Amino acid sequence: MLHTRTGFSPHPRTRRRLIALAVAGACAALTAPAGAQQTAGPSTSGASGEPAGQATAAQSATPAGDADAGPKVVVKGIRASLQSTLNLKRNSDGIVDGIVADDIGKFPDTNLAESLQRISGVSIDRNRGEGAQVTVRGVGPDLNMVLLNGRQMPTSNLGDLAGRAFDFSNLASESIAQIQVYKSSRADTPPGGIGATINIMTGRPLDLGNTASVGAKVVYDTSNNHLPQEDKANHSYTPEISGIYSTTWNDGMFGVAVSASYQERNLGVNTASITNGWQGPFRGDENSWGTIPQPGSAGAADIINRPGPGDVYAVPQNISYFMRGTQRQRTNGQLTFQFRPNKDITTTLDYTYSQNKIQTKYHELSAWFNFGPSVSKWTDGPIAAPLYYQENVANQDIAMNGGDYATKSENQSLGFNAQWKVSRDLKLNLDVHHSTAESKADSPFGSENDLATVSFSRGNTRVDFSNEMPVLSIEGADFNRAPMQVSGSWFKNGYQKMKVDQVQASGRLNLMESSALNFGLSATNVENRSAFQQVQRDTWGGATTPSDYPQSLWRADTLGQYFSKLGGSGDPALFQQIHLFDFAAMRQRAIEATGLPDKYSPSLADPDYDRRTKEESRALYFQLNTEWDTALPMHTGLGLRYEKTDVTSTALSQTVAGINWVSQNEFPFVFSGKEFTTLKGKYHNLLPSLDWDMDLRPDFKVRASYGHTIGRPRYDQIQGGTTIDPTGTVNGGKGSRGNPALKPVKSKNLDLSAEWYYDRQSVVSLGLYYKKLDNYAGQTVADETSPNVTTPVGGKYWNAALASGCIVTDTNCLRNFIFRTYNGLPGVTRGPDNAAGNATGTITGIPGDPLVHYDITTFVNEKAATLKGAEINLQHMFGNSGFGIQANYTYVKSDLTFDNASKGNQFALVGLSDSANLIGIYEDAKWSIRAAWNWRDKFLSSVTDPVGPNPQYVEPYGQLDLSIGYNVSPRLALSFEAINVTDETQRVHGRHERMVLSATQSGPRYMVGARYKF
């Protein structure tokens, strides 16, 4: 027998409606996924319905923001937010978590990703010291779907032109009412979120009513103080301003809401890194370019604890110290208009805008290794890492590089929603939106650049890897004997734009007394274009001569002071001399000295890389929700979604005409022509879902969910055509070729949960989950040979240099011999000797030389993985004392991990890590205090570094944040926030902890603010 569940209702007049900002709990379809058993408050859409007490359990399966209008009850504060979040979890179909704003314009954290990491199973990746992207239950950012009011949102990111991950740093939190995290699959949710579907919900005027507030903050970022004067902003104090205004008139027939925010932030991030990765890995018995000498050969006596024949080791390609200053201005705004001609029809027109402008200035001290004679000491195997690595050189370059560039990202979304209550048993919903995300350069110097200045006075160069950061030592540096000069440079213009056009139609039909059928269909078109062009000068031996550059252009400074938080910065052996400069002035001087202004200016007129992809998806779904009259009340939701996608992918392919050997290990390719190549693919999926829950007691609930989800491939995996990297090495070139026929990753998910709501605002729960993932795109590397382009490596002149006594790893010796013996002959064009006495110029392949080899990476659906884990949650309020705690721990495990002892391409799950949160709370009528500690264990962030298939592991990181609020009056509140109170640092390493890839320091951030409600 079926029956109507009592004790809850989807309507705002229920006794469980605790906060005006809490949106229809577990909403569906277009405003949020459908199927909620009860709302925690009014929806963002504000449709009308029956009076309280008349809703059946079937009607509680609410589609597309279908909630009733009613009297507004505004309950503010941390406890109200926690209660609403708890209700959302308790009364939703499937496994759902979320965060509700403490009050209008007051989200728990100023950054949405920082707030999301407080949820069990959610971890974040930080950029510029704040949360940017999220990993959920061990599934990385590219495989999580982000919605805005139930709509699929586009994303753009010049740092990853091929990704799908949403960048949360583009959105301010002030206009956000609620975030819902759907961890189990649902038929009425747009696919793409294997880890989770994250629905960001904003307020609507017919829900908010007549209200207004304005807030202001002063932000003090201490990291700006730890920068050189050339890179730091004038002030470490910056403003934040936000406001929201909502009004209704004509008895609730019309409503308008406007929200806006503007934020500035000046910050610094300093990083010591092995920027270009670790060359290798090599076996101990291997002998090739980059390896250390074998026992018995020249130089073997200079190696301590040499890796054994079966051990794996790698050597550093270079070392860099970056001091990077960033200024950011973020503008957000939303305008919403609602029209409700009668209680059965509600229409909503909304426009959302965000802009994120970032200006970056940096300086870098670096040294490059060319794998000549070396001295080193190693850890024990089987993964051997250097305790120190030294190359014995003379008159090599000490590079002091600089950059000055800016980017701008804009997101725009225009949407229309109409809800019609046709009858008591039938409700229909239509939602249409056009949304874009665009990122591009915002500086005449491009979206990224690097201008190298050098002194050719570097002698023996050692890096000590026994500290937190690598410690560089240089012998013989003499800036009087070898003055500074400009050498090579590159200027890049990047561009990305994604466009989403989506139409969703849905409805809910009540069947009998205790069931409801949710149904819908959708059409989604996603277009993505990404492109860049790099203007590069490969004059690494010197662009002109030192006499062209007055030494007053540089300012001498010391290095260690900018890395004072990192272990090793106080080492007496650290090379301290850095020379800093004004980028614009140095660029202008280089233009005057060379007479080549075009070589120091970015352009997108002739892009090196241009990818354009169009995905057309059509979907149809049904979901049946039923309440069962059994001894223990049960609820079921059975759904099925059909999704079909057509892919058209076009990419710019370049024809390689030659390869030039321009410096020790720089082999830029020469391209003679470009053409667009188009490839197509298609796939379809049938995605079932089943949700079940049972109330064992009024305060104890158990759940089970099973369903299929998909995650679409990255854009570089489905590009059309072949892209060759612009610069090769002695080993040849690299490139990539996409496969538009790739199928999406498909996951079969099982979730089990037990939840004990032992008090109104307290809960303890245990969740278990298992995911079986298929169709992961594995990388296949093919060794392809050019049909007609030759390389000088291994050719006539190269072999003659070897016969003269040069060795393979001493490229200076090889180049000097070729230039001084064969200058003027085919393939050899000698320039002047540089300050180190080495010949400069260009060497190219000639007929009879070896053909160029390329390592071409392509993708196929060949990988499978399993992932399992557990989530433990505790929320406890200590009676009426005002004190409370939140704690959660997430355990996640997969057997698909990176094998550090293996060479070659590997497939492993990135982002997989345990995580934990501990939050202490106090609140009374005047004070609200929250101290939050978040911790994430070590995780694999990438299966490649700039050299090739080498892992990158982010080491465990914990951060303490604090927020304090004081209510001066019912209208005026003051606040204080502190981020990264204990000034934590971050570190990334490779196959061994001594193989550091980066060690980064930033600094705490403090905010003082006030908010006034009208």
Side-chain angles (χ1 to χ4, degrees):
M1 178 185 297
L2 306 179
H3 85 130
T4 300
R5 179 181 292 191
T6 61
F8 64 88
S9 162
H11 306 294
R13 297 185 181 91
T14 69
R15 60 185 178 87
R16 297 185 183 227
R17 183 171 186 265
L18 296 174
I19 183 170
L21 288 174
V23 186
C27 306
L30 306 177
T31 300
Q37 302 172 28
Q38 172 200 339
T39 71
S43 81
T44 56
S45 303
S48 344
E50 302 86 357
Q54 297 183 12
T56 66
Q59 290 169 330
S60 69
T62 311
D66 190 8
D68 292 4
K72 302 297 181 286
V73 180
V74 178
V75 181
K76 59 185 179 180
I78 296 175
R79 292 171 68 99
S81 171
L82 296 178
Q83 174 69 67
S84 297
T85 300
L86 184 149
N87 283 350
L88 171 65
K89 178 183 181 70
R90 182 175 188 174
N91 299 311
S92 295
D93 288 344
I95 311 299
V96 181
D97 283 305
I99 302 172
V100 178
D102 295 355
D103 199 355
I104 295 172
K106 185 183 178 185
F107 214 67
D109 296 273
T110 57
N111 176 283
L112 294 181
E114 301 281 351
S115 291
L116 281 166
Q117 71 174 335
R118 316 296 182 199
I119 296 174
S120 62
V122 181
S123 303
I124 66 173
D125 296 330
R126 288 180 168 84
N127 187 18
R128 294 182 291 272
E130 66 177 349
Q133 299 175 343
V134 300
T135 294
V136 184
R137 290 180 161 184
V139 179
D142 282 320
L143 297 178
N144 293 304
M145 171 64 74
V146 176
L147 312 176
L148 179 65
N149 295 319
R151 299 162 176 165
Q152 180 177 336
M153 283 294 103
T155 184
S156 61
N157 181 359
L158 293 183
D160 183 6
L161 292 172
R164 294 181 182 268
F166 187 82
D167 188 349
F168 286 89
S169 65
N170 287 329
L171 292 180
S173 63
E174 283 77 7
S175 63
I176 306 303
Q178 181 179 138
I179 298 179
Q180 300 168 338
V181 181
Y182 292 84
K183 298 178 180 177
S184 57
S185 61
R186 305 172 62 88
D188 48 19
T189 302
I194 287 181
T197 296
I198 299 170
N199 191 25
I200 302 169
M201 307 185 75
T202 59
R204 296 291 192 248
L206 296 184
D207 298 319
L208 297 173
N210 296 316
T211 187
S213 69
V214 62
K217 292 180 182 178
V218 175
V219 180
Y220 174 59
D221 198 318
T222 62
S223 64
N224 185 60
N225 299 332
H226 304 299
L227 292 169
Q229 66 187 44
E230 289 81 1
D231 301 323
K232 71 191 304 182
N234 292 331
H235 305 286
S236 298
Y237 296 91
T238 53
E240 291 189 8
I241 303 171
S242 63
I244 185 168
Y245 172 78
S246 173
T247 186
T248 64
W249 67 94
N250 201 16
D251 295 326
M253 179 179 290
F254 299 96
V256 170
V258 181
S259 64
S261 67
Y262 176 77
Q263 303 172 342
E264 293 183 8
R265 184 182 169 204
N266 299 333
L267 66 142
V269 177
N270 298 338
T271 302
S273 64
I274 305 302
T275 312
N276 288 80
W278 288 79
Q279 190 67 39
F282 305 111
R283 294 288 181 189
D285 57 1
E286 189 174 339
N287 191 21
S288 61
W289 184 73
T291 60
I292 57 178
Q294 292 293 326
S297 62
D302 294 325
I303 303 172
I304 300 175
N305 196 30
R306 191 189 192 285
D311 292 343
V312 168
Y313 73 95
V315 293
Q317 179 65 79
N318 69 328
I319 180 171
S320 299
Y321 297 89
F322 287 94
M323 296 143 286
R324 196 181 305 271
T326 300
Q327 300 181 53
R328 185 193 72 185
Q329 305 85 43
R330 183 171 66 189
T331 305
N332 279 202
Q334 186 175 62
L335 173 64
T336 305
F337 174 76
Q338 285 190 292
F339 172 56
R340 180 181 291 162
N342 57 56
K343 67 182 182 64
D344 295 327
I345 298 176
T346 300
T347 60
T348 304
L349 180 67
D350 59 82
Y351 174 73
T352 303
Y353 175 83
S354 71
Q355 182 190 83
N356 202 13
K357 301 180 71 172
I358 298 173
Q359 303 88 41
T360 301
K361 292 183 178 181
Y362 77 88
H363 279 87
E364 172 196 6
L365 164 66
S366 68
W368 192 273
F369 294 120
N370 291 295
F371 312 122
S374 63
V375 178
S376 57
K377 182 178 180 179
W378 298 83
T379 64
D380 295 334
I383 312 297
L387 294 170
Y388 62 78
Y389 179 84
Q390 174 179 313
E391 285 196 0
N392 296 330
V393 297
N395 297 325
Q396 294 298 298
D397 60 311
I398 306 174
M400 311 281 186
N401 299 5
D404 185 344
Y405 52 88
T407 61
K408 179 171 70 174
S409 296
E410 287 186 314
N411 296 284
Q412 300 185 67
S413 180
L414 177 65
F416 173 77
N417 180 275
Q419 300 178 17
W420 178 26
K421 182 181 177 184
V422 181
S423 67
R424 176 186 177 89
D425 293 324
L426 178 63
K427 297 182 181 180
L428 301 177
N429 199 91
L430 174 68
D431 191 271
V432 181
H433 79 100
H434 169 78
S435 302
T436 61
E438 184 179 37
S439 297
K440 57 186 178 181
D442 195 36
S443 164
F445 304 150
S447 60
E448 195 174 0
N449 52 47
D450 184 88
L451 181 62
T453 71
V454 298
S455 166
F456 288 101
S457 64
R458 176 163 61 92
N460 295 344
T461 304
R462 172 180 292 206
V463 181
D464 184 339
F465 294 100
S466 62
N467 294 284
E468 180 181 10
M469 79 173 195
V471 175
L472 170 68
S473 303
I474 296 176
E475 297 178 9
D478 188 339
F479 297 96
N480 293 318
R481 176 175 60 85
M484 298 293 297
Q485 60 177 306
V486 170
S487 61
S489 60
W490 53 265
F491 290 76
K492 179 191 290 187
N493 252 2
Y495 178 80
Q496 184 176 18
K497 183 174 184 178
M498 183 183 291
K499 180 174 68 174
V500 177
D501 292 301
Q502 188 174 47
V503 179
Q504 300 180 86
S506 64
R508 186 187 71 202
L509 177 64
N510 293 336
L511 303 174
M512 299 179 289
E513 295 183 354
S514 303
S515 295
L517 178 66
N518 295 334
F519 56 91
L521 52 86
S522 66
T524 306
N525 293 342
V526 179
E527 296 183 23
N528 183 69
R529 184 200 174 198
S530 57
F532 77 79
Q533 181 177 345
Q534 184 161 299
V535 178
Q536 182 163 320
R537 289 213 77 202
D538 292 306
T539 52
W540 306 110
T544 52
T545 64
S547 61
D548 291 321
Y549 303 94
Q551 296 303 293
S552 59
L553 288 170
W554 286 268
R555 181 183 68 86
D557 203 347
T558 56
L559 179 70
Q561 60 181 312
Y562 302 116
F563 296 86
S564 58
K565 301 297 181 181
L566 297 174
S569 60
D571 191 322
L574 177 67
F575 183 76
Q576 292 281 359
Q577 302 175 65
I578 55 176
H579 289 70
L580 310 171
F581 55 87
D582 178 88
F583 182 89
M586 190 66 70
R587 171 183 173 272
Q588 183 59 37
R589 187 70 197 103
I591 291 173
E592 294 170 356
T594 62
L596 300 170
D598 291 346
K599 294 297 184 180
Y600 296 91
S601 301
S603 173
L604 257 181
D606 187 23
D608 304 313
Y609 161 119
D610 195 339
R611 294 171 177 164
R612 307 177 187 194
T613 304
K614 183 175 183 178
E615 297 168 304
E616 298 177 307
S617 299
R618 304 295 181 262
L620 173 70
Y621 75 85
F622 299 93
Q623 182 165 311
L624 178 65
N625 297 283
T626 304
E627 299 293 334
W628 297 90
D629 185 12
T630 53
L632 296 173
M634 291 193 308
H635 170 85
T636 59
L638 178 63
L640 187 65
R641 184 182 186 95
Y642 175 76
E643 185 95 11
K644 178 180 182 295
T645 301
D646 294 314
V647 179
T648 302
S649 185
T650 300
L652 188 67
S653 299
Q654 302 190 73
T655 302
V656 177
I659 184 171
N660 293 331
W661 187 11
V662 299
S663 64
Q664 284 181 287
N665 191 33
E666 293 281 342
F667 291 77
F669 288 104
V670 178
F671 298 99
S672 62
K674 303 176 182 180
E675 63 179 0
F676 282 100
T677 303
T678 299
L679 300 173
K680 295 187 177 184
K682 61 182 178 180
Y683 53 84
H684 61 89
N685 289 276
L686 198 61
L687 306 173
S689 62
L690 173 63
D691 293 317
W692 169 88
D693 66 67
M694 174 184 288
D695 294 324
L696 297 180
R697 298 186 329 205
D699 63 350
F700 196 92
K701 182 186 290 287
V702 292
R703 304 179 190 270
S705 292
Y706 176 80
H708 294 185
T709 52
I710 61 171
R712 304 187 195 277
R714 285 171 53 88
Y715 288 108
D716 55 349
Q717 296 174 346
I718 58 174
Q719 75 170 57
T722 301
T723 300
I724 301 296
D725 294 351
T727 302
T729 68
V730 294
N731 295 324
K734 293 183 179 181
S736 61
R737 179 182 301 123
N739 178 9
L742 274 181
K743 294 178 172 60
V745 180
K746 189 170 186 178
S747 179
K748 299 177 181 178
N749 315 291
L750 176 63
D751 290 89
L752 302 173
S753 176
E755 304 155 11
W756 178 27
Y757 299 89
Y758 59 89
D759 189 64
R760 180 183 177 89
Q761 295 174 332
S762 301
V763 64
V764 59
S765 66
L766 171 65
L768 305 176
Y769 57 91
Y770 175 85
K771 296 179 182 292
K772 184 178 185 300
L773 304 111
D774 294 306
N775 290 336
Y776 260 109
Q779 291 186 349
T780 299
V781 179
D783 183 359
E784 299 186 0
T785 302
S786 171
N788 51 22
V789 176
T790 60
T791 174
V793 178
K796 175 183 176 181
Y797 303 145
W798 175 283
N799 292 331
L802 293 178
S804 74
C806 295
I807 60 176
V808 171
T809 56
D810 192 349
T811 51
N812 269 331
C813 178
L814 294 165
R815 286 173 57 81
N816 285 333
F817 176 85
I818 293 172
F819 281 126
R820 291 165 184 168
T821 306
Y822 300 108
N823 182 38
L825 294 181
V828 181
T829 304
R830 181 178 176 179
D833 290 359
N834 63 22
N838 293 314
T840 66
T842 301
I843 304 169
T844 61
I846 60 176
D849 282 352
L851 295 172
V852 174
H853 283 258
Y854 308 104
D855 288 335
I856 303 297
T857 300
T858 189
F859 303 90
V860 293
N861 290 118
E862 63 175 5
K863 303 297 184 180
T866 59
L867 187 153
K868 58 187 176 183
E871 298 172 348
I872 302 173
N873 287 276
L874 170 66
Q875 178 175 306
H876 180 77
M877 303 304 295
F878 294 92
N880 295 319
S881 67
F883 288 96
I885 61 168
Q886 287 180 291
N888 61 61
Y889 187 91
T890 301
Y891 165 80
V892 60
K893 179 177 175 59
S894 174
D895 294 330
L896 203 61
T897 57
F898 197 96
D899 182 358
N900 293 326
S902 295
K903 299 177 57 177
N905 289 289
Q906 296 189 47
F907 174 68
L909 292 180
V910 298
L912 206 68
S913 68
D914 294 353
S915 60
N917 286 281
L918 180 62
I919 303 173
I921 300 163
Y922 175 77
E923 186 177 48
D924 61 24
K926 288 291 187 181
W927 293 93
S928 61
I929 302 172
R930 187 198 313 250
W933 178 75
N934 173 264
W935 171 83
R936 185 178 186 183
D937 203 357
K938 171 185 168 182
F939 67 94
L940 178 71
S941 61
S942 177
V943 295
T944 62
D945 72 0
V947 169
N950 291 311
Q952 298 188 46
Y953 295 103
V954 179
E955 298 184 0
Y957 180 83
Q959 180 171 303
L960 177 65
D961 301 331
L962 175 68
S963 64
I964 301 173
Y966 178 73
N967 296 321
V968 178
S969 70
R971 295 185 180 276
L972 177 63
L974 306 179
S975 64
F976 169 79
E977 299 169 74
I979 310 298
N980 190 15
V981 175
T982 53
D983 197 2
E984 301 296 328
T985 60
Q986 292 182 283
R987 192 173 188 271
V988 181
H989 68 259
R991 295 173 184 265
H992 189 284
E993 288 187 2
R994 298 295 185 189
M995 293 183 182
V996 60
L997 287 163
S998 66
T1000 302
Q1001 72 170 55
S1002 52
R1005 186 166 77 251
Y1006 303 99
M1007 289 164 278
V1008 177
R1011 177 162 292 276
Y1012 187 82
K1013 294 171 58 177
F1014 297 92

